[in-house]
Amino acid sequence: MKPAPFGYERPRDLQAALAVLAEADASVKIIAGGQSLGPMLNLRLVEPELLIDIAGLAELKQVERQGDELVLGACVTHADIEDGRIPDVTRGAMQGVAGNIAYRAVRNRGTIGGSLSHADPAADWVSALSALGAKLTLRSLAGSRIVAMEDFIVGALESALRAGEIVKTVHVPAMPASAHWGYVKSCRKTGEFAHAIGAVMIDPSAATARIVIGAIDSAPIVMTDAAELFGGRVAGDYKDRFDSRVAEAILARAGVSDAAHRHIHVNVLKRAVREAAA
Amino acid sequence: MSMIELTVNQRAVQAVAEPRTNLADFVRDKLDLTGTHLGCEHGVCGACTVLLDGVPARSCITYAVACEGAEVTTIEGLDEDAVTSELRAAFTREHALQCGYCTPGMLVSARDLVLRLPEADERAIRVGLSGNLCRCTGYVGIVRAVQSVIEARRARDIAPEPGGERKILGPVGSGRTVRTGADKAERISPASSKQASTEALSSVDAFPDFTPAAVLTQQFSVAHSPEQVFAMFGDIAAVASCLPGASLTAPPNPERVEGAIRVRLGPIAATFSGLARVERNAADMSGRIVGIGNDQRSRSSTQGEIRYRLVPIEQGAATRVDLSIGYTLTGMLAQVGRPGLVRDLAARLIAEFAANLDRRLSGTSPAAPADLSGMSLVSGLLRARITRWFTRFSSRKDGAA
């Protein structure tokens, strides 16, 4: 399939991109690497009048460490992270996630900001960055605001982005040395969208656990204090205290009504917990 | 149309192309480099994989206009490449191709693996080739061929390069030009979705019976008696005003409701125009709305029915509305193929409808959402009020979400 005709603009800087976006109506789409939007355009599921290409903007490809967090421009690619071309504050967690997104040819163009903006519940960064406690800077002509990952995704393909706004940077907090990380996804075929994602960051010494159950067809379930999954407290024996029944009940409450799907989600999460403990 | 300048197989080229022309069509149609193959055209099969700024990329979902100034290497440009030459010999030796359609993309991906993988690990090779589909060989010969080349090169002390040849950040192929591209002349008005008419459907007199391809059930409650709710459900214009994105295009009667509903799922927007018929059964406070409609822009059609039953709760002071929504979708939009996303959309639509219904029954006018974009109304408060969301989803296809 070929896309329906669209116009194309490649603004010279972010300010110009935001200006085009602000004057435009709803049938304008921002495109970065285009690895999610491209298929939708080709299948004519999306027929914008105009694409605004931000993939070349140097302002969106900067990466710097600011205090205790790493600030990544939205147009950093999955392969940039996979290959370690940027610094890491997550003790390898982001590198591991990046290396298993889709396929290498896709990772060479697909961007972290684009993936988040697309807000596909089955996308890796949606779940992984929620578990890592990341925040996003959203930018429009009017200014910028910061939104926590868990507030950014509001539903299937729906984010908190307002008209005229784009994801500018991703702020990833440094992972404490005492934290344990686990990330597991279930895909029918390697590289396909996940059917279940479990992302966990557990710090037994601080008695904290951030847990995400992702790829549930709506916004992921983000538990910033997931003690209830471990019988009420997070300690060194959390692997043995993980309570599948609690996870099952949480999924049922979230509307995952198919028992088989819940079973897959619970087991993927259990594996993520085990991976963290390993 | 715009002039696109880039480097293909170390030769500077320029050609005029539309913004929608993908890089694969650009090299095939403008430069006669037909070694790049197109299979699925949505980034899944890998047949179109080329080197963009030295590393693999999908040329079917990369638009040529976005590659201004980039260096493209197609399979034709790898004739003299050392790694590819070794791979060609290995592919021949291991019978790693039959029809050859996947081979150009397969060689580009294999070359990348040979450069990057530290050792000839079979699993890593298989994972690395998972984005290149071959329907002939069963992959065994391909994997062996790649393994043998990696082994041979590592034995010759050629070290892997973890990042390929990439040193800079950002999408490959982009940011290589200082020229900003503006193609305002190309701005095309979208197909006439705004004045979508029901003409095509005006000859429809009977609603054919149908078996929905997908059924989902939902329920919500409102703090008004079943009698009040049932009476309001009889007021078609009132119901339509509560349904986000819905509009009536003619005065309704139960036998014939003409209207449209605009729905949006992320970047996917559709306006279904069509007809509906309303059936009501006062005895058990139930009803059925059956309709058909189409979205001209995506040339998609849908046929659907909503069955409802009103159940008194709280001693008749409030009502639980049990809904069963069945639909069949055909055309472009049916390609979404992710029924779970439709369920999430339906849940949000119903949540908004329930809130509007409640407001209307309480005497306040519904908020006027332009379409179902919105989570604005679906606050935590509202979610709490919608009791026991439970949804069951079944699909004839595979039952999977």
Side-chain angles (χ1 to χ4, degrees), chain A residues 18 141 195:
Chain A
L18 292 171
L141 270 193
H195 292 274

Side-chain angles (χ1 to χ4, degrees), chain B residues 120-374:
Chain B
D121 175 67
E122 184 188 335
R123 191 184 137 70
I125 292 168
R126 284 184 177 273
V127 169
L129 289 175
S130 63
N132 291 76
L133 302 184
C134 170
R135 302 287 81 157
C136 299
T137 65
Y139 302 100
V140 174
I142 298 172
V143 172
R144 273 194 205 128
V146 177
Q147 263 178 315
S148 69
V149 175
I150 295 178
E151 274 162 11
R153 288 175 67 87
R154 300 296 170 262
R156 300 203 305 271
D157 284 333
I158 303 172
E161 306 168 41
E165 291 157 15
R166 189 86 180 148
K167 299 284 178 276
I168 56 172
L169 301 182
V172 299
S174 292
R176 295 296 305 272
T177 177
V178 290
R179 273 198 349 170
T180 53
D183 210 351
K184 292 194 185 189
E186 280 290 327
R187 288 193 188 179
I188 310 260
S189 301
S192 54
S193 63
K194 278 164 195 154
Q195 61 261 26
S197 78
T198 53
E199 269 173 45
L201 289 162
S202 59
S203 60
V204 177
D205 293 320
F207 291 90
D209 263 349
F210 80 110
T211 309
V215 177
L216 56 104
T217 60
Q218 298 240 338
Q219 53 182 215
F220 62 91
S221 60
V222 280
H224 298 274
S225 70
E227 290 73 21
Q228 281 176 290
V229 176
F230 191 72
M232 200 196 126
F233 276 13
D235 180 348
I236 294 163
V239 171
S241 75
C242 289
L243 194 57
S247 58
L248 297 175
T249 50
N253 69 66
E255 285 305 306
R256 185 183 178 89
V257 181
E258 286 181 30
I261 182 164
R262 182 175 152 81
V263 290
R264 192 164 82 72
L265 178 61
I268 306 167
T271 302
F272 286 96
S273 301
L275 294 175
R277 192 182 66 213
V278 178
E279 298 163 9
R280 283 159 64 77
N281 182 350
D284 64 354
M285 297 229 196
S286 69
R288 175 174 181 249
I289 301 158
V290 57
I292 56 178
N294 60 39
D295 174 46
Q296 295 197 332
R297 187 159 152 186
S298 67
R299 276 150 303 189
S300 299
S301 301
T302 186
Q303 189 166 8
E305 62 166 14
I306 301 172
R307 291 172 188 270
Y308 65 85
R309 180 182 295 271
L310 308 183
V311 181
I313 53 172
E314 295 168 22
Q315 286 84 46
T319 306
R320 193 185 76 216
V321 182
D322 292 348
L323 290 174
S324 161
I325 302 165
Y327 68 92
T328 299
L329 190 62
T330 55
M332 306 282 196
L333 292 178
Q335 299 173 109
V336 175
R338 302 265 300 273
L341 301 188
V342 177
R343 181 184 57 183
D344 186 57
L345 175 72
R348 282 183 278 147
L349 181 69
I350 290 163
E352 241 175 287
F353 175 72
N356 287 337
L357 191 67
D358 214 18
R359 275 193 214 97
R360 179 125 193 160
L361 287 164
S362 305
T364 51
S365 60
D371 58 57
L372 174 69
S373 54

Side-chain angles (χ1 to χ4, degrees), chain B residues 65-89:
Chain B
V65 68
C67 300
E68 183 83 36
E71 287 168 45
V72 180
T73 308
T74 65
I75 190 68
E76 292 90 343
L78 291 170
D79 280 356
E80 311 299 325
D81 177 73
V83 178
T84 312
S85 300
E86 278 185 68
L87 278 166
R88 268 196 304 271

Side-chain angles (χ1 to χ4, degrees), chain A residues 1-13 20 23-27 29 31-51 53 55-57 61-63 75-77 80 82-83 85-86 100 102-111 118 120-122 154-158 188-195 216-219 252-253 255-258 261, chain B residues 18-22 25 38 40-44 49 52 55-58 60-63 65-68 109 112 116 127 130-131 133 162-164 166-175 177 179-184 186-191 194 262 264-269 297-299 332-336 338-341 343-344 348 372-373 375 383 389-393 398-401:
Chain A
M1 280 287 301
K2 312 297 179 192
F6 50 74
Y8 174 86
E9 282 201 36
R10 190 169 47 239
R12 93 195 73 84
D13 56 26
V20 179
E23 75 174 36
D25 66 5
S27 70
K29 278 295 292 176
I31 187 166
Q35 302 299 288
S36 297
L37 187 57
M40 284 188 155
L41 288 166
N42 287 8
L43 293 168
R44 298 201 180 192
L45 294 171
V46 183
E47 299 185 11
E49 287 176 54
L50 178 68
L51 289 186
D53 184 354
L57 300 183
K61 296 188 239 186
Q62 281 156 11
V63 179
C75 286
V76 167
T77 65
D80 291 335
E82 174 187 14
D83 294 346
R85 276 191 290 279
I86 63 160
N100 287 297
Y103 317 108
R104 179 73 181 180
V106 170
R107 299 197 289 273
N108 280 330
R109 269 188 68 75
T111 65
H118 189 61
D120 191 316
V154 293
L157 304 181
E158 289 292 339
R188 278 202 199 135
K189 172 186 171 291
T190 307
E192 278 290 354
F193 274 115
H195 292 274
I216 58 165
D217 294 329
S218 55
R253 269 209 305 280
V256 182
S257 54
D258 186 310
H261 293 167
Chain B
E18 285 186 84
R20 65 168 167 165
T21 302
N22 65 40
D25 281 335
L38 280 161
C40 72
E41 294 199 295
H42 61 282
V44 173
T49 309
L52 191 52
V55 297
R58 298 285 204 235
C60 72
I61 51 174
T62 301
Y63 300 102
V65 68
C67 300
E68 183 83 36
S109 290
D112 178 60
R116 288 191 302 118
V127 169
S130 63
L133 302 184
R166 189 86 180 148
K167 299 284 178 276
I168 56 172
L169 301 182
V172 299
S174 292
T177 177
R179 273 198 349 170
T180 53
D183 210 351
K184 292 194 185 189
E186 280 290 327
R187 288 193 188 179
I188 310 260
S189 301
K194 278 164 195 154
R262 182 175 152 81
R264 192 164 82 72
L265 178 61
I268 306 167
R297 187 159 152 186
S298 67
R299 276 150 303 189
M332 306 282 196
L333 292 178
Q335 299 173 109
V336 175
R338 302 265 300 273
L341 301 188
R343 181 184 57 183
D344 186 57
R348 282 183 278 147
L372 174 69
S373 54
M375 293 305 295
R383 278 203 184 273
W389 283 113
F390 63 86
T391 52
R392 193 185 70 235
F393 192 83
D398 58 8

